[in-house]
Amino acid sequence: MDKINNNEKVMEHEHILNKNFLSISNALNDITMATTLEDVLMRFCDFLVHYQKVDEAYISIYDKDSGAIEYYKVNRFLNEGIEKNILNKDTIAKRVILSNEELYLRDVLNSDLYHEVYGNESTEDIGGICSAYFIPLVVEEDTIGVVSFQSKKIDDYTSLDIELFRVISKIISFIIYNHKRNETVNDLYEDVLVTLESSLNGLYYVDIQTKQMIWSERAKTILNIKSDLNYEAFINKINYIDRRQYKNKITQSMEKNESYEILYRYHYDERTLIWVKERGAFRYDEEGRIIKRHATVIDVTKQIEQEHQLNKLAYRDVLTGMKNRNRYEKDTEYYEKSNIPFALFMLDINEFKKVNDTFGHHIGDRLLKLFSESLKEALQVYDVDLYRLSGDEFVILLPYVEERTITDKVVNTIIVKFKEPLKLDDKIFQIVLSIGISFYPGDSKDIKNTLKYADISMYRIKHHDFIHYSYFDQEYYKQFIEEQDIEHYIKESIQEKEINMIFQPIVDLKTNKIIGFESLLHKHKRFNTDQVFDVAGKSSLIVTLDHYILEVVFKMLSKHKAIIPQGVRFTINLSVKTLEYTNVYEYIKGLIDTYQVSGEMIGIEVTEKLLIRDDLNMNSMFKQLRELGITFYFDDFGMGFSSVRNLTFIDVDYIKIDRSLISMMATNKKCCALLKSMQQFANEVDMGVIYEGVEEEEQLNSIRALGGRYIQGYKISKPLTFLEAIELMNEYND
């Protein structure tokens, strides 16, 4: 990256020098109209203060015999015009001439040299000048003067400024030298340009009438010119694609009476094509007719290649070669400005994280590359743009597409392509994609929403096994926004510790005592508890929520454990993700140690959905936690994943019959028969059965008839605050 930054600095450096070269060469058109040396120097001073950082300029000529300095000065701000003076006293300019060394006073008034030279005069107002650069004028190894560039800012000049100043000093020295040889200024024009060019880039000029061309040695080297090259031959060496543009640019610049800049490809030899940047201007006669065109040329092939490389780094994904997010933003910005409609596909690979976790990121990267190549191959018949935004997220853009007819064909092509698995070495990967589709401006006139809507549509079908794609739907979007609100509520409540718990009692009908409480979230004024857990369960947020609830319950138990009878348990529901992806044992053991709460006060409720997962060794985890005194409950039995088989290999202490079965007891004989057999099975294996959602006396009587012992529901009590729950427990247990 440092190398690239250095190259950028070089390119900026060359740009500034060449830009100022044109300013100088254009100014020479005016300077060459002067008839005397004094006139030339005064015009040059006038030109210098048009350079951005020069507020005052001096050109001083030294007379060895008299020791006097004849100097020419111009001030940008005071509009004093150009003034000429002769000084016989010691000055800084005179010191520079005598030492023949450049001098940079970064802070003039605080400079020791300034006070040494001017003594008591050092307190005089010097027009606000704060920094100055002095360069000796040398002719045939003889220092005959100095040019001074002055600024109203302290330490204002950079290395680029100083390099330009040195070029200007060479030109002034050259003019003075040739003036002493009694040559007219006008005759010196081309020689001055060559002198200037020697400090910068290649130079050539063309006689407008005769088309004769004169090339500097540097220009010949850049363009590989072995002998004289006429104008027609030069034009023919420009790449034919750029040739017409070149001619038009020259013509337009002549008509508009302005300088020009152009980039073109040039045949250096039969095999080599280089990039050339050319800047030029025109010279006029006294009647204002163009007589010559002069230009600088520079080989910018390396810079162009670097720009291409930077462009590739900036706009191409290194791994897949696809366009990246930066390019996506550029392209969609162009579509928006040009009012071009498009369809947008958002894709990602389901459960791609498992590939990285199982085989390593190097295999994951290779699979992404193979996938991208397959996607390109599948869509090569369509006019599409492909982007990799990040990870396994890809975008497809179809310009000018506003109907589902075409997008249906495209998405079907993708699905068919990836029906067959991808093979990587000895591994086989079945690619399952989720695809969301939206239209601009059909779904939204705000182009930023197009990607968001496609992303939301993709998210919608992320967890469906048989649905691969979805179009943006406004109703679902409203639901999605509500889920975002719920997610925000959960995060904010956890952060601010504002989640409140309530507790519903579990009663033993045999002893008529409360043996425990199920810990539940207090209902939010806008969202019910099921909504909160559904939304949290779609992401890792459920783990954070589970951990938070565990800690809240442990804190309460720690604070009030002295008034809680032995044998009373507080059960807590834990999600599939918490049990699958976190070390529950270590986390709960840490809470037990921190809050000094016995594990015998805790019960863990797990759902059937977890217990049908063959890839989890649940009994091993249960065994570890049982060693801490914790009891396990099989929650929501009969709700949707019921299987007696689960009860034969999963070691739980209680099963909790779902309220949906309780509500059918009085009217459904099959339901009663099922519950009776379940109760008998539980009695045989010493497993407790808790009947949830008991609200009516008839339900309670039916449970008693089955031999049921434990109930939970509004027939006993609604969920209560912690202190209310303790108070109710005391009433029952007394």
Side-chain angles (χ1 to χ4, degrees):
M1 186 58 69
D2 289 339
K3 186 175 181 180
I4 292 175
N5 289 337
N6 288 335
N7 287 329
E8 288 175 343
K9 290 178 181 178
V10 170
M11 291 166 65
E12 178 187 13
H13 174 97
E14 292 175 344
H15 172 74
I16 293 173
L17 288 180
N18 281 281
K19 178 181 177 182
N20 285 300
F21 161 77
L22 282 180
S23 299
I24 296 171
S25 58
N26 287 333
L28 286 174
N29 279 316
D30 175 62
I31 293 170
T32 53
M33 302 300 293
T35 56
T36 65
L37 177 61
E38 180 178 317
D39 195 12
V40 169
L41 298 181
M42 290 174 68
R43 288 178 188 241
F44 229 122
C45 280
D46 190 40
F47 157 71
L48 290 178
V49 294
H50 287 85
Y51 182 61
Q52 185 179 1
K53 292 187 177 181
V54 179
D55 296 322
E56 284 189 0
Y58 292 82
I59 298 177
S60 306
I61 306 299
Y62 178 60
D63 187 328
K64 284 186 178 181
D65 296 332
S66 64
I69 291 181
E70 179 182 51
Y71 74 93
Y72 303 84
K73 166 189 172 185
V74 64
N75 184 298
R76 180 190 297 190
F77 295 100
L78 300 180
N79 296 317
E80 296 174 344
I82 299 173
E83 63 177 74
K84 173 184 176 183
N85 286 290
I86 296 179
L87 295 176
N88 286 297
K89 61 182 180 181
D90 192 17
T91 64
I92 292 178
K94 189 172 183 180
R95 293 282 185 98
V96 171
I97 293 169
L98 295 175
S99 66
N100 193 26
E101 292 181 355
E102 294 180 14
L103 173 66
Y104 187 10
L105 297 183
R106 289 177 166 81
D107 185 355
V108 173
L109 287 178
N110 290 319
S111 165
D112 292 338
L113 178 60
Y114 180 83
H115 290 279
E116 177 187 336
V117 172
Y118 298 111
N120 295 332
E121 297 179 18
S122 63
T123 58
E124 291 183 358
D125 179 16
I126 58 170
I129 294 301
C130 293
S131 56
Y133 202 89
F134 298 82
I135 300 179
L137 299 175
V138 181
V139 174
E140 292 184 335
E141 300 183 356
D142 185 17
T143 304
I144 51 89
V146 67
V147 58
S148 171
F149 309 90
Q150 305 193 14
S151 170
K152 289 182 175 290
K153 295 180 180 179
I154 293 175
D155 199 12
D156 195 23
Y157 297 136
T158 66
S159 59
L160 287 177
D161 301 317
I162 293 168
E163 186 164 351
L164 181 69
F165 296 160
R166 288 170 179 159
V167 172
I168 292 171
S169 70
K170 288 182 181 180
I171 296 172
I172 296 172
S173 300
F174 192 87
I175 290 174
I176 296 171
Y177 169 74
N178 283 280
H179 177 76
K180 289 187 175 183
R181 293 165 55 192
N182 297 319
E183 296 185 27
T184 65
V185 175
N186 208 43
D187 291 335
L188 302 176
Y189 181 73
E190 278 78 24
D191 291 332
V192 170
L193 287 179
V194 171
T195 301
L196 177 60
E197 178 272 334
S198 67
S199 300
L200 298 169
N201 305 307
L203 173 76
Y204 76 82
Y205 61 88
V206 184
D207 188 294
I208 299 300
Q209 298 299 321
T210 66
K211 299 296 183 182
Q212 180 184 3
M213 301 187 74
I214 297 179
W215 303 89
S216 71
E217 291 303 317
R218 178 69 179 141
K220 288 180 179 180
T221 300
I222 291 172
L223 300 179
N224 193 29
I225 298 173
K226 304 300 183 183
S227 58
D228 290 340
L229 190 71
N230 61 36
Y231 186 72
E232 183 178 353
F234 167 68
I235 292 296
N236 287 336
K237 293 195 73 172
I238 296 175
N239 182 266
Y240 74 96
I241 296 175
D242 302 332
R243 199 175 299 157
R244 177 176 294 182
Q245 179 188 4
Y246 181 87
K247 290 180 178 179
N248 290 341
K249 186 71 173 179
I250 299 300
T251 302
Q252 291 170 8
S253 299
M254 290 176 67
E255 291 173 352
K256 293 179 181 180
N257 191 22
E258 62 183 16
S259 59
Y260 67 90
E261 177 180 314
I262 190 168
L263 183 69
Y264 55 86
R265 284 161 291 183
Y266 177 87
H267 289 277
Y268 183 84
D269 55 34
E270 292 182 357
R271 296 183 178 181
T272 309
L273 201 64
I274 65 171
W275 283 94
V276 174
K277 181 180 286 186
E278 178 176 315
R279 294 185 177 94
F282 302 92
R283 185 183 172 205
Y284 304 85
D285 62 16
E286 294 181 358
E287 297 180 4
R289 292 173 298 192
I290 297 176
I291 57 174
K292 289 185 179 181
R293 173 167 65 87
H294 54 87
T296 59
V297 290
I298 180 173
D299 181 352
V300 292
T301 306
K302 289 184 179 179
Q303 290 91 321
I304 295 297
E305 289 174 351
Q306 288 162 2
E307 287 174 6
H308 288 167
Q309 182 64 25
L310 288 170
N311 183 70
K312 185 175 180 180
L313 291 173
Y315 296 116
R316 288 283 174 180
D317 176 55
V318 177
L319 178 65
T320 64
M322 287 182 174
K323 297 179 180 181
N324 63 10
R325 185 179 289 273
N326 292 337
R327 188 72 259 175
Y328 166 81
E329 292 175 354
K330 287 281 186 183
D331 289 349
T332 52
E333 181 182 348
Y334 169 76
Y335 291 156
E336 184 179 33
K337 289 180 180 178
S338 305
N339 295 316
I340 298 174
F342 60 84
L344 186 149
F345 289 59
M346 183 78 176
L347 301 78
D348 82 353
I349 303 172
N350 292 352
E351 298 186 335
F352 179 76
K353 182 178 182 296
K354 285 189 176 180
V355 177
N356 285 332
D357 291 345
T358 305
F359 301 104
H361 286 274
H362 65 292
I363 294 296
D365 286 349
R366 289 181 61 197
L367 182 60
L368 285 176
K369 189 173 182 180
L370 181 59
F371 166 77
S372 66
E373 290 170 355
S374 300
L375 187 62
K376 291 175 189 175
E377 182 181 336
L379 299 179
Q380 61 185 342
V381 297
Y382 298 100
D383 182 17
V384 301
D385 287 315
L386 301 176
Y387 307 82
R388 181 188 177 213
L389 299 192
S390 64
D392 63 322
E393 289 186 340
F394 296 83
V395 161
I396 303 171
L397 281 184
L398 284 74
Y400 300 102
V401 172
E402 300 179 84
E403 299 177 352
R404 294 191 180 188
T405 307
I406 298 176
T407 52
D408 282 344
K409 290 180 180 179
V410 172
V411 77
N412 186 62
T413 300
I414 296 171
I415 292 170
V416 170
K417 177 67 176 178
F418 292 103
K419 276 187 176 180
E420 294 296 324
L422 296 180
K423 296 180 181 179
L424 192 62
D425 298 333
D426 59 342
K427 301 174 183 65
I428 296 177
F429 298 93
Q430 184 63 60
I431 300 296
V432 179
L433 296 172
S434 295
I435 306 172
I437 307 169
S438 63
F439 294 95
Y440 172 81
D443 291 324
S444 174
K445 293 182 180 179
D446 184 347
I447 204 158
K448 292 181 180 178
N449 286 337
T450 312
L451 181 64
K452 180 174 75 173
Y453 287 172
D455 192 22
I456 291 170
S457 303
M458 180 186 72
Y459 180 82
R460 179 183 184 181
I461 46 91
K462 188 68 178 168
H463 302 287
H464 287 270
D465 294 330
F466 304 105
I467 302 175
H468 297 290
Y469 69 100
S470 172
Y471 287 95
F472 174 72
D473 178 76
Q474 193 66 43
E475 290 303 315
Y476 175 75
Y477 179 64
K478 292 178 182 177
Q479 176 187 335
F480 178 83
I481 294 301
E482 183 180 40
E483 290 183 356
Q484 293 293 300
D485 289 343
I486 294 173
E487 188 172 312
H488 176 72
Y489 153 69
I490 297 170
K491 291 177 180 178
E492 187 175 55
S493 298
I494 291 174
Q495 184 176 357
E496 300 298 326
K497 303 186 184 303
E498 293 179 349
I499 289 182
N500 296 316
M501 302 298 297
I502 51 178
F503 305 88
Q504 190 170 37
I506 301 170
V507 171
D508 183 344
L509 294 177
K510 185 176 180 179
T511 63
N512 201 35
K513 290 186 177 182
I514 293 176
I515 62 166
F517 295 89
E518 182 177 359
S519 306
L520 302 166
L521 281 185
H522 194 285
K523 183 180 178 181
H524 185 265
K525 59 183 178 181
R526 287 177 54 200
F527 319 119
N528 63 47
T529 304
D530 289 341
Q531 281 181 301
V532 170
F533 279 103
D534 284 345
V535 170
K538 293 178 180 179
S539 69
S540 60
L541 186 59
I542 188 65
V543 176
T544 306
L545 183 59
D546 282 351
H547 284 184
Y548 180 79
I549 290 172
L550 277 168
E551 187 164 13
V552 168
V553 173
F554 268 88
K555 280 183 179 179
M556 287 183 175
L557 295 179
S558 178
K559 184 176 181 181
H560 302 285
K561 60 186 176 183
I563 61 174
I564 300 173
Q566 187 175 2
V568 175
R569 295 180 183 273
F570 287 77
T571 69
I572 302 162
N573 289 273
L574 293 185
S575 69
V576 174
K577 288 182 179 177
T578 299
L579 292 165
E580 183 177 6
Y581 296 115
T582 66
N583 192 327
V584 177
Y585 171 79
E586 290 295 338
Y587 188 76
I588 292 179
K589 187 177 184 301
L591 292 175
I592 288 173
D593 294 340
T594 300
Y595 294 104
Q596 295 298 298
V597 171
S598 170
E600 294 180 353
M601 301 176 72
I602 300 295
I604 300 287
E605 296 193 18
V606 295
T607 64
E608 291 181 84
K609 186 176 180 181
L610 174 71
L611 299 184
I612 64 171
R613 298 175 70 93
D614 294 332
D615 58 324
L616 291 177
N617 190 346
M618 299 303 301
N619 284 331
S620 176
M621 180 183 68
F622 288 177
K623 182 179 179 181
Q624 279 186 306
L625 290 168
R626 273 201 179 88
E627 292 174 357
L628 300 176
I630 291 171
T631 301
F632 287 91
Y633 299 72
F634 190 171
D635 193 22
D636 296 334
F637 184 83
M639 189 175 182
F641 293 92
S642 296
S643 172
V644 176
R645 171 180 171 273
N646 291 333
L647 298 179
T648 64
F649 69 87
I650 297 296
D651 187 14
V652 294
D653 302 289
Y654 294 87
I655 59 171
K656 299 185 76 173
I657 305 298
D658 185 67
R659 68 184 64 236
S660 62
L661 294 178
I662 305 300
S663 65
M664 293 189 293
M665 286 179 67
T667 58
N668 192 313
K669 290 183 179 181
K670 291 181 179 179
C671 180
C672 284
L674 175 63
L675 292 176
K676 184 177 181 180
S677 64
M678 288 303 306
Q679 183 65 57
Q680 290 174 347
F681 170 79
N683 293 340
E684 288 288 333
V685 297
D686 198 24
M687 184 185 296
V689 179
I690 300 172
Y691 295 85
E692 293 186 290
V694 179
E695 298 180 357
E696 301 172 0
E697 187 70 25
E698 185 178 1
Q699 293 171 338
L700 181 59
N701 292 334
S702 297
I703 292 169
R704 289 183 188 275
L706 293 173
R709 182 172 176 177
Y710 307 105
I711 63 170
Q712 176 184 341
Y714 274 70
K715 179 63 180 171
I716 303 300
S717 172
K718 67 179 182 179
L720 306 168
T721 65
F722 188 84
L723 293 179
E724 289 172 341
I726 297 299
E727 184 179 348
L728 180 66
M729 181 185 64
N730 290 334
E731 290 177 8
Y732 260 82
N733 294 359
D734 284 344

